[in-house]
């Protein structure tokens, strides 16, 4: 799945409507929005003439061709290269749990599924689980039952993905939890299967799960040694 990416866009909240309108014009669904705050130190802010500000992070799934088009548009129309406007970056996906979920996340992008991506030298993967609010414990119980050591839960909001009900039979216009789990590559498939079975879109949790390759880790050795 080397030509499918998670695209993250981080911008000042005052610019977020412009980015959302831009994505809508390009028929790209922004899957989730999370709110945050910039943390750059004063020297960095002074260098770029910036002020500390509240931020908006938008997440989408895009193909390689769509990313190239969006990048050109953000540079030309949104002036993203101007300091203080924002940043956007992509991370390659290695797999998405479920055919329905794959079709939903790549709607309008003419994507044809290929082989899973395995980056050379990677021993771990980041599982991203998007679930209804209040069910992170259910997600983690399923993941731990398949060998996961632990995870981190973040709050986000679905913003009205119209295709969700058509593809998945669920509504994503509500508060969500994003659960992040770092695991060994060889354990990934079993954990994803367990989450899909016990917390997937056919359950009250209505979770979607996909994975991203991790190129390096620190702090996991003792945890993983204890689990063996």
């Amino acid at each position: 799945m080397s030509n499918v990416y998670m695209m993250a866009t981080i911008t000042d909240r005052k610019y977020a409507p412009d980015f959302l309108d831009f994505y809508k014009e390009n028929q790209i669904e922004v899957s989730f929005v999370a709110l945050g705050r910039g943390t750059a130190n004063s020297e960095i802010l002074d260098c770029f003439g910036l002020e500390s500000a509240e931020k908006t992070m938008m997440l989408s799934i895009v193909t390689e061709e769509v990313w190239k088009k969006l990048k050109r548009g953000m540079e030309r129309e949104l002036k993203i290269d101007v300091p203080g406007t924002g940043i956007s970056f992509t991370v390659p996906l290695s797999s998405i749990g479920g055919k329905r979920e794959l079709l939903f996340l790549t709607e309008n992008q003419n994507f044809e599924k290929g082989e899973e991506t395995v980056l050379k030298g990677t021993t771990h993967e980041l599982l991203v689980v998007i679930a209804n609010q209040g069910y992170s414990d259910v997600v983690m119980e399923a993941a731990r039952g398949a060998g996961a050591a632990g995870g981190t839960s973040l709050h986000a909001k679905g913003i009205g993905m119209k295709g969700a009900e058509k593809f998945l039979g669920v509504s994503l216009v509500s508060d969500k939890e994003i659960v992040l789990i770092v695991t060994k590559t060889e354990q990934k498939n079993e954990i994803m299967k367990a989450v899909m079975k016990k917390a997937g879109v056919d359950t009250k949790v209505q979770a979607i799960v996909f994975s991203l390759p991790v190129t390096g880790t620190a702090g996991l050795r003792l945890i993983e040694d204890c689990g063996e």
Side-chain angles (χ1 to χ4, degrees):
M1 200 171 291
S2 58
N3 62 341
V4 180
Y5 300 85
M6 182 185 74
M7 178 181 70
T9 303
I10 302 172
T11 185
D12 283 2
R13 293 189 195 176
K14 62 183 178 182
Y15 296 133
D18 296 332
F19 279 86
L20 292 172
D21 288 343
F22 171 76
Y23 294 138
K24 183 177 181 180
E25 290 171 2
N26 285 274
Q27 296 185 298
I28 298 301
E29 296 283 4
V30 174
S31 302
F32 295 93
V33 170
L35 303 179
R37 186 171 184 82
T39 59
N41 62 38
S42 58
E43 292 181 357
I44 296 295
L45 294 172
D46 290 343
C47 177
F48 287 100
L50 305 177
E51 297 179 355
S52 179
E54 294 180 324
K55 303 292 183 181
T56 297
M57 181 176 71
M58 294 159 274
L59 298 178
S60 301
I61 303 299
V62 298
T63 64
E64 185 173 6
E65 290 304 313
V66 168
W67 161 247
K68 291 177 180 178
K69 176 184 176 183
L70 293 175
K71 182 175 182 292
R72 290 192 298 268
M74 285 187 284
E75 292 170 345
R76 184 176 60 252
E77 299 176 33
L78 298 176
K79 311 301 182 186
I80 197 170
D81 288 333
V82 175
T85 303
I87 63 170
S88 188
F89 58 90
T90 58
V91 180
L93 266 68
S94 54
S95 59
I96 296 175
K99 184 177 181 180
R100 288 180 300 169
E101 290 80 352
L102 173 61
L103 292 173
F104 164 57
L105 291 171
T106 58
E107 186 181 13
N108 298 323
Q109 299 189 51
N110 299 316
F111 172 69
E112 294 184 6
K113 187 178 184 302
E115 296 296 323
E116 276 197 8
T117 299
V118 180
L119 295 184
K120 292 182 178 180
T122 59
T123 59
H124 292 75
E125 301 239 356
L126 173 65
L127 304 187
V128 181
V129 185
I130 301 168
N132 284 339
Q133 186 179 20
Y135 290 101
S136 58
D137 289 344
V138 178
V139 171
M140 283 310 308
E141 181 179 352
R144 288 195 181 96
T152 299
S153 177
L154 307 173
H155 180 263
K157 181 178 281 291
I159 59 170
M161 295 178 287
K162 296 179 180 179
E165 193 164 353
K166 178 177 70 175
F167 283 104
L168 308 176
V170 301
S171 173
L172 298 181
V173 191
S174 60
D175 288 346
K176 294 290 175 180
E177 290 191 65
I178 299 178
V179 182
L180 306 177
I181 303 169
V182 177
T183 184
K184 289 183 177 180
T185 300
E186 61 264 27
Q187 294 178 306
K188 176 195 72 172
N189 287 338
E190 289 304 313
I191 295 174
M192 291 180 72
K193 289 178 182 177
V195 171
M196 290 167 61
K197 180 179 179 181
K198 298 180 180 180
V201 294
D202 295 323
T203 71
K204 60 186 178 181
V205 184
Q206 296 181 339
I208 298 173
V209 57
F210 55 88
S211 66
L212 311 171
V214 172
T215 57
T217 64
L220 294 178
R221 183 174 60 84
L222 292 179
I223 295 175
E224 293 179 342
D225 287 348
C226 290
E228 293 178 351

